[in-house]
């Protein structure tokens, strides 16, 4: 695949990634802007999705989120969802400056945490002409309510408050594992399939991935409500791709959000769990996204 490295300024932070030119394009082509989900870096299967899009005649611009992977930004390993939303918009601006890109045919694709981001960006940025949200986080508070036992929540709140006081005193942010072998141990994503996928994929595909985020990353996750924007995406076409057995971003939450979206929209339900969209269910997930973008941007 004839990809090239790119970098662009996001208001003082340099973000880095890859640009995949559309195969067979004779002029400016539609372009899909893509970033990964919670703590993940672009090597964790985003190249596979970008190649599918490029083979279909779509450019793909893939970038690492600020504070992660090849991109700059501090504090390292911190996820501010609203900063990541703004960075999607910076990436769109970057794409529109490239010779291969038709600036009036921009699509956005996100997965898991960034699946929530594209719901927000699709609602507020009218340069976007098609949206695909794969196994998306739609409500931080509801997601935390599903994953964290009620008797554990007071302990997390005490940790958040202590970290806030320590930062005020000049200490560095506290850190917490992204995943842990023990789902009852403190971690950001306390499900067994999260531990398996992140640790195995980190070893085989993404040695730059680190199993830690700042503690306030988890606090900001619980405050983030992208589904509040879903009714405003229309008339931009929206595809929601969910996994039937998703326990990380639970299936029923995504389907409830889909019901609040307006036309044009489409729901695709894949077999398997959250992480199957990248591996066992990759063909189904990537084909659904590709076909949606081709229908609304290329044809």
């Amino acid at each position: 695949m004839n990809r090239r490295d790119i970098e662009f300024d996001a208001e003082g932070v340099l973000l880095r990634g890859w640009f995949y030119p559309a195969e067979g394009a004779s002029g400016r082509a539609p372009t899909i802007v893509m970033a990964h989900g919670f703590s993940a870096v672009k090597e964790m299967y985003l190249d596979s999705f970008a190649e599918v899009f490029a083979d279909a005649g779509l450019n793909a611009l893939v970038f690492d989120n600020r504070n992660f992977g090849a991109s700059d930004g501090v504090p390292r390993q911190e996820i501010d969802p609203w900063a990541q939303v703004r960075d999607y918009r910076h990436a769109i601006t970057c794409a529109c400056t490239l010779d291969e890109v038709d600036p009036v045919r921009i699509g956005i694709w996100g997965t898991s945490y960034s699946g929530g981001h594209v719901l927000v960006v699709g609602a507020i940025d009218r340069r976007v002409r098609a949206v695909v949200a794969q196994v998306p986080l739609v409500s931080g508070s509801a997601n935390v309510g599903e994953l964290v036992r009620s008797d554990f929540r007071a302990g997390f709140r005490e940790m958040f408050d202590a970290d806030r006081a320590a930062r005020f005193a000049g200490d560095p942010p506290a850190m917490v594992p992204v995943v842990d072998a023990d789902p009852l141990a403190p971690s950001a994503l306390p499900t067994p399939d999260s531990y398996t996928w992140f640790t195995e994929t980190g070893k085989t595909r993404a040695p730059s991935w680190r199993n830690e985020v700042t503690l306030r990353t988890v606090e900001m996750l619980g405050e983030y409500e992208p589904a509040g924007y879903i009714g405003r995406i229309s008339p931009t076409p929206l595809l929601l791709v969910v996994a039937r057995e998703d326990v990380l971003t639970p299936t029923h939450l995504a389907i409830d959000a889909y019901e609040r979206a307006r036309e044009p929209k489409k729901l695709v339900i894949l077999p398997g769990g959250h992480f199957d969209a990248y591996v066992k269910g990759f063909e189904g997930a990537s084909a659904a996204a590709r076909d949606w973008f081709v229908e609304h941007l290329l044809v």
Side-chain angles (χ1 to χ4, degrees):
M1 181 62 64
N2 185 31
R3 80 181 186 201
R4 66 176 185 266
D5 293 340
I6 61 163
E7 61 181 32
F8 57 94
D9 178 68
E11 295 185 338
V13 174
L14 202 61
L15 304 184
R16 298 181 179 88
W18 301 316
F19 182 80
Y20 290 77
E23 290 292 324
S26 57
R28 292 178 179 265
T31 301
I32 313 306
V33 173
M34 310 168 57
H36 222 316
F38 192 95
S39 88
V41 294
K42 62 186 182 300
E43 290 83 2
M44 298 170 111
Y45 296 102
L46 289 200
D47 49 345
S48 301
F49 285 91
E51 288 170 5
V52 168
F53 299 155
D55 285 343
L58 305 158
N59 299 316
L61 190 157
V62 183
F63 67 98
D64 273 332
N65 289 302
R66 67 172 59 212
N67 309 337
F68 289 86
S71 290
D72 291 349
V74 291
R76 299 303 291 176
Q77 304 300 118
E78 177 157 288
I79 305 171
D80 180 338
W82 289 107
Q84 292 189 350
V85 164
R86 290 191 294 271
D87 287 343
Y88 258 95
R89 304 185 76 182
H90 294 314
I92 293 169
T93 301
C94 171
C96 291
T97 69
L98 302 178
D99 291 339
E100 300 97 330
V101 172
D102 182 348
V104 301
R105 291 187 290 167
I106 298 291
I108 52 175
W109 177 97
T111 185
S112 196
Y113 210 12
S114 68
H117 301 343
V118 297
L119 300 179
V120 179
V121 176
I124 64 179
D125 195 323
R126 289 303 167 190
R127 295 175 298 176
V128 174
R129 299 303 175 91
V131 179
V132 174
Q134 174 179 284
V135 293
L137 174 113
V138 295
S139 168
S141 60
N143 224 90
V144 169
E146 294 270 348
L147 295 183
V148 180
R149 278 175 31 179
S150 58
D151 55 331
F152 285 8
R153 292 175 200 161
F156 265 110
R157 176 55 53 194
E158 291 174 1
M159 293 169 63
F160 294 153
D161 292 344
D163 179 50
R164 188 175 298 278
R167 297 196 317 268
F168 186 80
D171 293 340
M175 308 298 289
V176 64
V178 177
V179 293
D180 194 283
D182 180 1
L184 297 181
S187 68
L189 305 179
T191 68
D193 61 340
S194 297
Y195 177 79
T196 299
W197 186 83
F198 273 101
T199 54
E200 291 183 354
T201 307
K203 290 176 183 177
T204 59
R205 294 180 64 96
S208 68
W209 178 77
R210 290 165 51 188
N211 186 21
E212 62 176 3
V213 290
T214 63
L215 181 60
R216 63 179 165 185
T217 287
V218 182
E219 186 174 28
M220 288 187 281
L221 165 66
E223 299 165 352
Y224 186 45
E225 300 294 332
Y229 288 79
I230 199 167
R232 294 167 50 187
I233 296 173
S234 176
T236 303
L238 168 66
L239 173 67
L240 215 64
V241 179
V242 304
R244 184 179 298 275
E245 307 299 332
D246 196 332
V247 296
L248 181 60
T249 55
T251 312
H252 69 94
L253 296 179
I255 294 176
D256 286 347
Y258 176 80
E259 293 301 317
R260 302 199 297 274
R262 300 166 67 189
E263 299 290 346
K265 63 180 181 177
K266 182 178 180 180
L267 176 67
V268 170
I269 301 178
L270 302 174
H274 185 87
F275 297 98
D276 287 325
Y278 309 106
V279 192
K280 290 190 297 184
F282 169 76
E283 289 189 8
S286 61
R290 175 201 63 207
D291 293 348
W292 190 251
F293 288 133
V294 167
E295 176 184 353
H296 294 285
L297 300 177
L298 194 60
V299 173

